[in-house]
Coordinates of all heavy atoms in Angstrom, one line a residue:
I48 N 74.0 283.7 193.9 CA 74.3 284.6 195.0 C 73.6 284.3 196.2 O 72.5 283.6 196.2 CB 74.1 286.1 194.6 CG1 72.6 286.3 194.2 CG2 74.9 286.5 193.4 CD1 72.2 287.8 194.0
I49 N 74.0 284.7 197.3 CA 73.3 284.6 198.7 C 73.0 286.0 199.2 O 73.9 286.7 199.3 CB 74.2 283.8 199.6 CG1 74.4 282.3 199.1 CG2 73.5 283.8 201.0 CD1 75.3 281.4 200.0
V50 N 71.8 286.2 199.5 CA 71.3 287.4 200.1 C 70.7 287.1 201.3 O 69.6 286.4 201.3 CB 70.4 288.2 199.1 CG1 69.8 289.4 199.8 CG2 71.0 288.5 197.9
K51 N 71.2 287.5 202.5 CA 70.8 287.1 203.8 C 70.9 285.6 203.9 O 71.8 285.0 203.8 CB 69.5 287.7 204.2 CG 69.5 289.2 204.3 CD 68.2 289.8 204.6 CE 68.4 291.3 204.7 NZ 67.1 292.0 205.1
N52 N 69.7 284.9 204.0 CA 69.7 283.4 204.1 C 69.2 282.8 202.9 O 68.8 281.6 202.9 CB 69.0 283.0 205.4 CG 67.4 283.3 205.3 OD1 67.1 284.3 204.6 ND2 66.6 282.6 206.0
K53 N 69.0 283.6 201.8 CA 68.4 283.1 200.6 C 69.4 282.8 199.5 O 70.3 283.6 199.3 CB 67.3 284.0 200.0 CG 66.2 284.2 201.0 CD 65.2 285.3 200.4 CE 63.9 285.3 201.2 NZ 64.1 285.8 202.6
V54 N 69.4 281.6 198.9 CA 70.2 281.3 197.8 C 69.5 281.6 196.6 O 68.4 281.1 196.3 CB 70.6 279.7 197.8 CG1 71.5 279.4 196.6 CG2 71.3 279.4 199.1
I55 N 70.0 282.5 195.7 CA 69.3 283.0 194.6 C 70.0 282.7 193.2 O 71.2 283.0 193.2 CB 69.1 284.6 194.7 CG1 68.3 284.9 196.0 CG2 68.5 285.2 193.5 CD1 68.2 286.3 196.3
A56 N 69.3 282.1 192.3 CA 69.9 281.8 191.0 C 69.8 283.1 190.1 O 68.8 283.7 190.1 CB 69.1 280.7 190.3
T57 N 70.9 283.5 189.5 CA 71.0 284.6 188.6 C 71.0 284.1 187.1 O 71.0 285.0 186.2 CB 72.1 285.5 188.9 OG1 73.3 284.8 188.8 CG2 72.1 286.1 190.3
L58 N 71.2 282.8 186.9 CA 71.1 282.3 185.5 C 70.1 281.3 185.4 O 69.8 280.6 186.4 CB 72.5 281.6 185.2 CG 73.7 282.5 185.3 CD1 75.0 281.7 185.0 CD2 73.7 283.6 184.1
S59 N 69.7 281.0 184.2 CA 68.7 279.8 184.0 C 69.6 278.6 183.9 O 70.7 278.7 183.4 CB 67.8 280.0 182.9 OG 68.5 280.1 181.7
G60 N 69.0 277.5 184.2 CA 69.7 276.2 184.1 C 69.4 275.2 185.2 O 68.3 275.4 185.8
R61 N 70.3 274.3 185.6 CA 70.0 273.4 186.6 C 70.9 273.6 187.8 O 72.1 273.7 187.6 CB 70.2 271.9 186.1 CG 69.9 270.8 187.1 CD 69.9 269.5 186.4 NE 71.2 269.2 185.8 CZ 72.2 268.6 186.5 NH1 72.1 268.2 187.7 NH2 73.3 268.2 185.8
S62 N 70.4 273.6 189.0 CA 71.2 273.8 190.2 C 71.9 272.5 190.5 O 71.3 271.4 190.4 CB 70.3 274.3 191.3 OG 69.3 273.4 191.6
T63 N 73.1 272.6 190.9 CA 73.9 271.5 191.3 C 74.5 271.7 192.7 O 74.9 272.9 193.0 CB 75.0 271.1 190.3 OG1 75.9 272.2 190.2 CG2 74.4 270.8 189.0
F64 N 74.8 270.7 193.4 CA 75.3 270.8 194.8 C 76.6 269.8 194.8 O 76.5 268.7 194.4 CB 74.3 270.3 195.8 CG 73.1 271.2 195.8 CD1 72.0 270.8 195.0 CD2 73.0 272.2 196.6 CE1 70.8 271.6 194.9 CE2 71.8 273.0 196.7 CZ 70.7 272.6 195.8
F65 N 77.6 270.3 195.4 CA 78.8 269.5 195.7 C 79.0 269.6 197.2 O 79.3 270.6 197.7 CB 80.0 270.0 194.9 CG 81.2 269.2 195.0 CD1 81.4 268.0 194.6 CD2 82.2 269.8 195.9 CE1 82.6 267.2 194.8 CE2 83.4 269.1 196.1 CZ 83.6 267.8 195.6
Y66 N 79.0 268.4 197.8 CA 79.2 268.3 199.3 C 80.6 267.8 199.5 O 81.0 266.7 199.0 CB 78.2 267.3 199.8 CG 76.8 267.8 199.7 CD1 76.1 267.3 198.5 CD2 76.2 268.6 200.6 CE1 74.7 267.7 198.4 CE2 74.9 269.0 200.4 CZ 74.1 268.5 199.3 OH 72.9 268.9 199.2
K67 N 81.3 268.5 200.4 CA 82.6 268.1 200.9 C 82.8 268.4 202.3 O 82.8 269.5 202.7 CB 83.8 268.7 200.1 CG 85.1 268.1 200.4 CD 86.3 268.7 199.6 CE 87.6 268.1 199.9 NZ 88.7 268.6 199.1
G68 N 82.6 267.3 203.2 CA 82.6 267.6 204.6 C 81.5 268.5 205.0 O 80.3 268.1 204.8
N69 N 81.7 269.6 205.7 CA 80.7 270.5 206.2 C 80.4 271.6 205.2 O 79.7 272.5 205.5 CB 81.2 271.0 207.5 CG 80.1 271.5 208.3 OD1 78.9 271.0 208.3 ND2 80.3 272.6 209.0
C70 N 81.0 271.6 203.9 CA 80.8 272.6 203.0 C 80.0 272.2 201.8 O 80.1 271.1 201.3 CB 82.2 273.0 202.5 SG 82.2 274.4 201.3
V71 N 79.1 273.1 201.4 CA 78.2 272.8 200.3 C 78.4 273.9 199.3 O 78.3 275.0 199.5 CB 76.7 272.9 200.7 CG1 75.8 272.6 199.5 CG2 76.4 271.9 201.8
T72 N 78.8 273.5 198.1 CA 79.0 274.4 196.9 C 77.8 274.3 196.0 O 77.4 273.2 195.5 CB 80.3 274.1 196.2 OG1 81.4 274.1 197.1 CG2 80.6 275.1 195.1
I73 N 77.3 275.5 195.7 CA 76.0 275.5 194.8 C 76.3 276.3 193.6 O 76.9 277.4 193.6 CB 74.9 276.2 195.6 CG1 74.6 275.4 196.9 CG2 73.6 276.1 194.6 CD1 73.5 276.1 197.7
S74 N 76.0 275.7 192.4 CA 76.2 276.5 191.1 C 75.1 276.1 190.1 O 74.3 275.2 190.4 CB 77.5 276.1 190.5 OG 77.6 274.7 190.2
I75 N 75.0 276.8 189.1 CA 74.0 276.6 188.1 C 74.7 276.1 186.8 O 75.6 276.8 186.3 CB 73.2 277.9 187.7 CG1 72.5 278.5 188.9 CG2 72.2 277.6 186.6 CD1 71.4 277.6 189.5
L76 N 74.3 274.9 186.3 CA 74.8 274.4 185.1 C 73.9 274.8 184.0 O 72.6 274.8 184.1 CB 74.8 272.9 185.1 CG 75.8 272.2 186.0 CD1 75.6 270.7 186.0 CD2 77.2 272.6 185.6
P77 N 74.5 275.2 182.8 CA 73.6 275.6 181.7 C 72.8 274.4 181.1 O 73.3 273.4 181.2 CB 74.7 276.1 180.6 CG 75.9 275.5 181.0 CD 75.9 275.2 182.5
T78 N 71.7 274.8 180.5 CA 70.8 273.7 179.9 C 70.5 274.2 178.5 O 70.0 275.3 178.3 CB 69.6 273.5 180.7 OG1 69.9 273.1 182.0 CG2 68.7 272.5 180.0
L79 N 70.7 273.4 177.5 CA 70.4 273.7 176.1 C 69.0 273.0 175.9 O 68.8 271.7 176.0 CB 71.4 273.2 175.1 CG 71.0 273.2 173.7 CD1 70.9 274.6 173.1 CD2 71.9 272.3 172.8
I80 N 68.0 273.7 175.5 CA 66.7 273.2 175.2 C 66.4 273.3 173.7 O 66.4 274.4 173.2 CB 65.6 273.9 176.0 CG1 65.8 273.8 177.5 CG2 64.2 273.3 175.6 CD1 64.8 274.5 178.3
H81 N 66.5 272.1 173.0 CA 66.2 272.1 171.5 C 64.7 271.8 171.3 O 64.3 270.7 171.7 CB 67.1 271.0 170.9 CG 67.0 271.0 169.4 ND1 67.6 271.8 168.6 CD2 66.2 270.2 168.6 CE1 67.4 271.6 167.4 NE2 66.4 270.6 167.4
T82 N 64.0 272.7 170.7 CA 62.6 272.4 170.4 C 62.5 271.7 169.0 O 63.3 272.1 168.1 CB 61.8 273.7 170.4 OG1 62.4 274.6 169.4 CG2 61.7 274.4 171.7
G83 N 61.6 270.7 168.9 CA 61.5 270.0 167.6 C 62.4 268.9 167.6 O 63.1 268.5 168.6
N84 N 62.5 268.3 166.4 CA 63.4 267.2 166.2 C 64.8 267.5 165.9 O 65.1 268.7 165.3 CB 62.9 266.3 164.9 CG 61.5 265.7 165.2 OD1 61.1 265.6 166.4 ND2 60.8 265.4 164.2
V85 N 65.8 266.7 166.2 CA 67.2 266.8 165.8 C 67.4 265.9 164.6 O 67.2 264.8 164.7 CB 68.1 266.4 167.0 CG1 69.6 266.7 166.6 CG2 67.7 267.2 168.3
N86 N 67.8 266.5 163.5 CA 68.0 265.8 162.3 C 69.1 266.5 161.4 O 69.8 267.3 162.0 CB 66.6 265.8 161.5 CG 66.0 267.1 161.3 OD1 66.7 268.2 161.2 ND2 64.7 267.2 161.3
G87 N 69.1 266.1 160.2 CA 70.1 266.7 159.3 C 70.1 268.2 159.2 O 71.1 268.9 159.0
S88 N 68.9 268.8 159.2 CA 68.8 270.2 159.0 C 69.2 271.0 160.3 O 69.8 272.1 160.2 CB 67.4 270.6 158.6 OG 66.5 270.3 159.7
S89 N 69.0 270.4 161.4 CA 69.4 271.1 162.7 C 70.9 270.7 163.0 O 71.6 271.5 163.6 CB 68.6 270.6 163.9 OG 68.7 269.3 164.1
G90 N 71.3 269.6 162.6 CA 72.7 269.2 162.8 C 73.0 268.4 164.1 O 72.1 268.3 164.9
N91 N 74.2 268.0 164.3 CA 74.6 267.4 165.6 C 74.6 268.4 166.7 O 74.8 269.7 166.4 CB 76.0 266.7 165.4 CG 75.9 265.6 164.4 OD1 75.0 264.9 164.3 ND2 77.0 265.5 163.7
I92 N 74.5 267.9 167.9 CA 74.5 268.8 169.1 C 75.7 268.5 170.0 O 75.9 267.3 170.3 CB 73.2 268.7 169.9 CG1 72.0 269.2 169.1 CG2 73.3 269.5 171.2 CD1 70.7 269.0 169.8
H93 N 76.5 269.4 170.3 CA 77.6 269.4 171.3 C 77.5 270.4 172.3 O 77.5 271.7 171.9 CB 78.9 269.4 170.6 CG 79.1 268.5 169.4 ND1 79.4 267.2 169.5 CD2 79.0 268.7 168.1 CE1 79.6 266.7 168.3 NE2 79.2 267.5 167.4
F94 N 77.3 270.1 173.6 CA 77.0 271.2 174.6 C 77.7 270.9 175.9 O 77.8 269.8 176.3 CB 75.5 271.3 174.8 CG 75.1 272.6 175.6 CD1 75.2 273.8 175.0 CD2 74.6 272.4 176.8 CE1 74.8 274.9 175.7 CE2 74.2 273.5 177.6 CZ 74.4 274.8 177.0
R95 N 78.2 272.0 176.6 CA 78.9 271.8 177.9 C 77.8 272.1 179.0 O 77.9 273.1 179.7 CB 80.0 272.9 178.0 CG 81.0 272.7 176.8 CD 82.1 273.7 177.1 NE 82.8 273.2 178.3 CZ 84.0 273.7 178.7 NH1 84.7 274.5 178.0 NH2 84.5 273.2 179.8
G96 N 77.0 271.1 179.2 CA 75.9 271.2 180.2 C 74.9 270.1 180.0 O 75.2 269.1 179.4
D97 N 73.6 270.3 180.4 CA 72.6 269.4 180.1 C 72.0 269.8 178.8 O 71.9 270.9 178.3 CB 71.5 269.6 181.1 CG 72.0 269.1 182.5 OD1 72.9 268.3 182.6 OD2 71.3 269.5 183.6
V98 N 71.4 268.7 178.1 CA 70.7 268.9 176.8 C 69.3 268.3 177.0 O 69.2 267.2 177.4 CB 71.4 268.2 175.6 CG1 70.7 268.3 174.4 CG2 72.8 268.8 175.4
E99 N 68.3 269.1 176.6 CA 66.9 268.6 176.6 C 66.4 268.8 175.2 O 66.4 269.8 174.6 CB 66.0 269.4 177.6 CG 66.4 269.2 179.0 CD 65.5 269.9 180.0 OE1 64.4 270.4 179.5 OE2 65.9 270.2 181.1
I100 N 65.9 267.7 174.6 CA 65.4 267.7 173.3 C 63.9 267.3 173.4 O 63.5 266.3 173.8 CB 66.1 266.6 172.4 CG1 67.6 266.9 172.4 CG2 65.5 266.5 171.0 CD1 68.5 265.8 171.8
E101 N 63.1 268.3 172.9 CA 61.6 268.2 173.0 C 61.0 267.3 171.9 O 59.9 266.9 172.1 CB 61.0 269.5 172.9 CG 61.4 270.3 174.3 CD 60.7 271.8 174.2 OE1 60.2 272.2 173.1 OE2 60.8 272.4 175.3
G102 N 61.8 266.9 170.9 CA 61.3 266.1 169.8 C 62.0 264.8 169.8 O 62.5 264.3 170.7
E103 N 62.2 264.3 168.5 CA 62.9 263.0 168.3 C 64.3 263.3 167.9 O 64.7 264.4 167.4 CB 62.2 262.3 167.1 CG 60.8 261.8 167.4 CD 60.2 261.1 166.2 OE1 60.9 260.8 165.2 OE2 59.0 260.8 166.4
V104 N 65.2 262.3 168.0 CA 66.6 262.3 167.5 C 66.6 261.3 166.4 O 66.4 260.1 166.6 CB 67.6 262.0 168.6 CG1 69.0 262.1 168.0 CG2 67.4 263.0 169.7
E105 N 66.8 261.7 165.1 CA 66.7 260.9 164.0 C 68.0 260.2 163.7 O 69.1 260.5 164.3 CB 66.3 261.8 162.8 CG 64.9 262.3 162.9 CD 64.4 263.1 161.7 OE1 65.2 263.2 160.7 OE2 63.4 263.7 161.9
A106 N 68.0 259.2 162.9 CA 69.2 258.3 162.6 C 70.4 259.1 162.0 O 70.2 260.0 161.3 CB 68.7 257.3 161.5
G107 N 71.5 258.6 162.5 CA 72.8 259.3 162.0 C 73.2 260.5 162.8 O 74.2 261.0 162.6
I108 N 72.4 260.9 163.7 CA 72.6 262.2 164.4 C 73.5 261.9 165.7 O 73.2 260.8 166.4 CB 71.4 262.9 164.8 CG1 70.7 263.4 163.6 CG2 71.6 264.0 165.8 CD1 71.4 264.4 162.8
R109 N 74.4 262.8 166.0 CA 75.2 262.6 167.3 C 74.9 263.8 168.3 O 74.9 264.9 167.9 CB 76.6 262.6 166.9 CG 77.6 262.4 168.1 CD 79.0 262.2 167.6 NE 79.9 261.9 168.7 CZ 80.0 260.6 169.3 NH1 79.3 259.7 168.8 NH2 80.8 260.5 170.3
V110 N 74.5 263.4 169.5 CA 74.3 264.3 170.6 C 75.3 264.1 171.7 O 75.3 263.0 172.3 CB 72.9 264.2 171.2 CG1 72.6 265.2 172.3 CG2 71.8 264.5 170.0
E111 N 76.0 265.1 172.1 CA 77.1 265.0 173.1 C 76.8 266.1 174.2 O 76.5 267.2 173.8 CB 78.5 265.2 172.6 CG 78.9 264.1 171.6 CD 80.3 264.3 171.0 OE1 80.8 265.4 171.2 OE2 80.7 263.5 170.3
A112 N 76.9 265.7 175.4 CA 76.7 266.6 176.6 C 77.6 266.3 177.7 O 78.0 265.1 177.9 CB 75.2 266.6 177.1
E113 N 78.1 267.4 178.3 CA 79.0 267.1 179.5 C 78.3 266.7 180.7 O 78.9 266.2 181.6 CB 79.8 268.4 179.7 CG 80.9 268.6 178.8 CD 81.9 269.7 179.3 OE1 81.8 270.1 180.5 OE2 82.8 270.1 178.4
R114 N 77.0 266.8 180.7 CA 76.2 266.4 181.9 C 75.2 265.3 181.4 O 75.4 264.2 181.1 CB 75.5 267.5 182.6 CG 76.5 268.5 183.2 CD 77.2 267.8 184.3 NE 78.1 268.7 185.0 CZ 78.6 268.5 186.2 NH1 78.4 267.5 186.9 NH2 79.5 269.4 186.7
N115 N 73.9 265.7 181.4 CA 72.8 264.8 181.2 C 72.1 265.1 179.7 O 72.2 266.2 179.3 CB 71.8 264.9 182.2 CG 72.3 264.6 183.6 OD1 73.0 263.6 183.8 ND2 72.0 265.4 184.5
I116 N 71.5 264.1 179.2 CA 70.7 264.2 178.0 C 69.3 263.6 178.2 O 69.1 262.6 178.7 CB 71.3 263.5 176.8 CG1 72.7 264.0 176.4 CG2 70.4 263.6 175.5 CD1 73.4 263.2 175.4
L117 N 68.3 264.5 177.9 CA 66.8 264.1 178.0 C 66.2 264.2 176.7 O 66.2 265.3 176.1 CB 66.2 264.9 179.1 CG 64.6 264.8 179.2 CD1 64.3 263.4 179.7 CD2 64.0 265.9 180.0
V118 N 65.7 263.1 176.2 CA 65.0 263.1 174.9 C 63.5 262.9 175.2 O 63.2 261.8 175.8 CB 65.5 262.1 173.9 CG1 64.7 262.1 172.6 CG2 67.0 262.4 173.6
E119 N 62.6 263.8 174.9 CA 61.2 263.6 175.3 C 60.4 262.6 174.3 O 59.4 262.1 174.8 CB 60.5 265.0 175.3 CG 61.0 265.8 176.4 CD 60.3 267.1 176.6 OE1 59.2 267.2 176.0 OE2 60.7 267.9 177.4
Q120 N 60.9 262.4 173.1 CA 60.2 261.5 172.3 C 61.1 260.3 171.9 O 61.5 259.5 172.8 CB 59.7 262.2 171.0 CG 58.6 263.2 171.4 CD 58.1 263.9 170.1 OE1 58.2 263.5 169.0 NE2 57.4 265.0 170.4
A121 N 61.5 260.0 170.7 CA 62.1 258.8 170.3 C 63.5 259.0 169.8 O 63.9 260.1 169.4 CB 61.3 258.1 169.2
L122 N 64.4 257.9 170.0 CA 65.7 257.8 169.4 C 65.6 256.8 168.2 O 65.1 255.8 168.4 CB 66.7 257.4 170.4 CG 67.0 258.3 171.6 CD1 67.8 257.6 172.6 CD2 67.6 259.5 171.1
N123 N 66.3 257.2 167.1 CA 66.3 256.3 166.0 C 67.7 256.1 165.5 O 68.2 256.9 164.7 CB 65.4 256.8 164.9 CG 65.2 255.8 163.8 OD1 65.6 254.6 163.9 ND2 64.8 256.3 162.6
K124 N 68.4 255.1 166.0 CA 69.8 254.8 165.5 C 70.7 256.1 165.6 O 71.5 256.4 164.7 CB 69.8 254.2 164.1 CG 69.1 252.9 164.0 CD 69.2 252.4 162.6 CE 68.5 251.1 162.5 NZ 68.4 250.5 161.1
A125 N 70.5 256.8 166.7 CA 71.4 258.0 166.9 C 72.5 257.6 167.9 O 72.4 256.7 168.7 CB 70.5 259.1 167.4
T126 N 73.5 258.4 168.0 CA 74.6 258.2 168.9 C 74.5 259.3 170.0 O 74.5 260.5 169.8 CB 75.9 258.4 168.3 OG1 76.0 257.5 167.1 CG2 77.1 258.2 169.2
M127 N 74.4 258.8 171.2 CA 74.3 259.7 172.4 C 75.5 259.6 173.3 O 75.8 258.4 173.6 CB 73.0 259.4 173.2 CG 71.7 259.3 172.3 SD 71.3 260.8 171.6 CE 70.4 261.5 172.8
S128 N 76.0 260.6 173.8 CA 77.2 260.6 174.6 C 77.1 261.6 175.8 O 76.9 262.8 175.4 CB 78.5 260.8 173.8 OG 79.6 260.9 174.6
A129 N 77.1 261.2 177.0 CA 77.0 262.1 178.1 C 77.8 261.6 179.3 O 77.9 260.4 179.5 CB 75.5 262.2 178.5
S130 N 78.3 262.5 180.1 CA 79.1 262.0 181.3 C 78.0 261.7 182.4 O 78.4 261.0 183.4 CB 80.0 263.1 181.8 OG 79.3 264.2 182.2
G131 N 76.8 262.2 182.3 CA 75.7 261.9 183.3 C 74.8 260.8 182.7 O 75.1 259.8 182.1
A132 N 73.5 261.1 182.8 CA 72.4 260.2 182.4 C 71.9 260.5 181.0 O 72.0 261.6 180.6 CB 71.3 260.2 183.4
V133 N 71.5 259.4 180.3 CA 70.8 259.7 179.0 C 69.4 259.2 179.1 O 69.2 258.1 179.6 CB 71.6 258.9 177.9 CG1 70.9 259.0 176.6 CG2 73.0 259.4 177.8

Side-chain angles (χ1 to χ4, degrees):
I48 60 172
I49 295 178
V50 177
K51 295 184 181 179
N52 66 334
K53 294 177 175 65
V54 179
I55 300 173
T57 59
L58 298 173
S59 62
R61 180 173 61 90
S62 56
T63 60
F64 301 88
F65 177 73
Y66 299 93
K67 184 173 183 181
N69 199 33
C70 182
V71 180
T72 304
I73 305 173
S74 62
I75 302 294
L76 290 177
T78 302
L79 171 71
I80 299 174
H81 182 84
T82 57
N84 295 341
V85 181
N86 51 32
S88 62
S89 65
N91 297 324
I92 295 177
H93 307 279
F94 191 70
R95 298 185 69 164
D97 292 337
V98 175
E99 293 181 17
I100 300 169
E101 294 179 348
E103 298 179 5
V104 181
E105 296 181 7
I108 295 296
R109 182 169 186 82
V110 178
E111 296 177 353
E113 282 193 9
R114 293 294 182 164
N115 303 313
I116 299 173
L117 171 69
V118 179
E119 293 185 8
Q120 292 184 17
L122 295 172
N123 183 17
K124 296 182 182 178
T126 303
M127 311 296 274
S128 175
S130 64
V133 177

